[in-house]
Amino acid sequence: MSALLDKGAAFAADKGIDPQALTGAQLIEDMKPLTAQVQFACDTAKGTVTRLGELEPVAMADTEQSFAELQARIAKTIALLDAVPREKIDGREDATVVLKVPDGEMPFTGRSHVLTFSLPNFYFHLTTAYALLRQAGVPVGKLDYLGGM
């Protein structure tokens, strides 16, 4: 996602486009903009690890508007993930993991939480971010989405 944002920022600079035209872009009126897609992907990653490891949730303000602020959000999320001791999450495949939602709670096993909720949710937001940039004309392709394989 960070590399996709780099390409978006470079595209905006090269074309003289206001970067916030890209970071605020939506696929359709009732969908969240690029900023939210990055925030939700980060929230999914950090929430998965904190729930799985039974750690305190880490709140982030969701105030990012610029490419630089979004990159900082990604870096902060990665740093948080790197700081989680491996022993907090290893062996928790069958542990009960509860996701609190506005209408109640969604119980999972550690495995089902990761495989049936977290990964699909993360990739939904990554894919939507990719699509927003692509729709705006940013020259990204499948290999960019896959991490520049």
Side-chain angles (χ1 to χ4, degrees), residues 25-44:
Q26 297 170 265
L27 288 176
I28 193 163
E29 192 174 299
D30 68 346
M31 285 185 76
K32 299 286 186 185
L34 178 63
T35 52
Q37 302 307 323
V38 174
Q39 292 161 352
F40 294 155
C42 290
D43 288 349
T44 299

Side-chain angles (χ1 to χ4, degrees), residues 58-74:
V58 177
M60 293 185 184
D62 295 341
T63 57
E64 298 86 6
Q65 295 299 310
S66 70
F67 282 109
E69 291 169 333
L70 292 170
Q71 292 287 18
R73 170 79 170 243
I74 292 170

Side-chain angles (χ1 to χ4, degrees), residues 22-124:
L22 296 180
T23 61
Q26 297 170 265
L27 288 176
I28 193 163
E29 192 174 299
D30 68 346
M31 285 185 76
K32 299 286 186 185
L34 178 63
T35 52
Q37 302 307 323
V38 174
Q39 292 161 352
F40 294 155
C42 290
D43 288 349
T44 299
K46 69 184 177 66
T48 300
V49 172
T50 56
R51 279 189 292 278
L52 190 60
E54 298 181 308
L55 303 166
E56 287 298 315
V58 177
M60 293 185 184
D62 295 341
T63 57
E64 298 86 6
Q65 295 299 310
S66 70
F67 282 109
E69 291 169 333
L70 292 170
Q71 292 287 18
R73 170 79 170 243
I74 292 170
K76 184 176 178 181
T77 301
I78 291 170
L80 183 148
L81 298 176
D82 286 344
V84 174
R86 189 175 181 105
E87 60 273 7
K88 292 298 260 180
I89 57 174
D90 280 355
R92 303 250 323 134
E93 296 85 358
D94 297 319
T96 299
V97 174
V98 177
L99 175 63
K100 295 179 190 320
V101 294
D103 295 337
E105 296 182 343
M106 297 173 62
F108 297 93
T109 64
R111 179 182 293 106
S112 69
H113 179 61
V114 171
L115 297 177
T116 68
F117 177 80
S118 296
L119 285 174
N121 192 54
F122 178 83
Y123 282 108
F124 172 85

